[in-house]
Structure formats: structure tokens, C-alpha cells
Amino acid sequence: MVEEGGHPFVDCGPLRLDLLAYRLRRESSSQELTLTEARLLETLMGQPGRVFTRAELESLLPCGGTGERALTAAISRLRRPLLALGCEGCLQAVRGQGYTFVCPTEDDPADD
């Protein structure tokens, strides 16, 4: 986590997650996130390449991720703002293990 003027951010490649405004930015584009999406992304972007188990990520959901499909639904919703910023393959499912985040590079095209 980085603080700029008392404002907390998580940076990963060209992405910047604003933890106060719940906004994900890439260059001049940005996407608004829900609190849940921001919490998931903060965890995943904070340790790119690490595989987080479903249980670890479910603990970040409201009420601890009640319901079998709560995490799957939250991840599906999180993919939308990532896709809008040209980060289609950044959030990856690891079969039988959980999810990991791969930082995009500056060279990866962003959808404008």
C-alpha cells in the first residue's frame, strides 16, 4: 500500500486502486467499485501472483461470504471493471485452489 498525501493506494503495474474513493484507475480511465470489490482487489493486487484460497477471499465478503456462490458472484462482478480498463486476464481462477491477480504491464492495451 502506498500513501500519497494521506490517501491510501495500491499500485500494480499501470493500475492504481484508490482505497478511499473505491476507484480503480489506469492512465486517464477509471472505474468505480463497490466496497466489496475494492476489498477483494486490495487483497489480490497487494500480493500479485499469490493464489488466495476461496476461504481467504470469502472472509472479505459481507457476512463472511454466506451462500455457496457468493464469492463466485463477487469475482464475476469484479471482472467487469477490470475488463473495462483492458485487464481481461488479470484476475485468474486457479482450479481447485482459488484466485490470483496478475499485474498488467504498461504495454498491455487498455480499452479506451
Side-chain angles (χ1 to χ4, degrees):
M1 181 167 60
V2 176
E3 284 205 26
E4 193 172 282
H7 210 72
F9 295 96
V10 176
D11 291 326
C12 189
L15 293 177
R16 173 167 268 197
L17 174 61
D18 182 329
L19 297 171
L20 288 181
Y22 308 138
R23 291 199 74 76
L24 182 62
R25 300 181 192 285
R26 182 175 186 170
E27 298 166 2
S28 61
S29 300
S30 70
Q31 290 288 309
E32 189 172 326
L33 304 173
T34 64
L35 172 60
T36 299
E37 291 166 345
R39 290 180 72 192
L40 287 169
L41 205 49
E42 175 185 10
T43 298
L44 291 159
M45 283 176 60
Q47 295 183 55
R50 176 180 168 209
V51 177
F52 288 88
T53 66
R54 290 185 63 84
E56 288 174 309
L57 296 175
E58 284 170 348
S59 71
L60 301 172
L61 300 179
C63 301
T66 56
E68 266 182 50
R69 311 254 322 142
L71 180 61
T72 303
I75 293 291
S76 179
R77 287 189 302 272
L78 181 54
R79 289 184 196 275
R80 292 181 197 136
L82 287 166
L83 182 60
L85 293 175
C87 301
E88 184 175 347
C90 292
L91 182 53
Q92 299 177 0
V94 180
R95 187 173 178 93
Q97 296 181 46
Y99 294 91
T100 188
F101 191 84
V102 178
C103 290
T105 64
E106 299 287 341
D107 299 334
D108 290 342
D111 294 338
D112 292 324

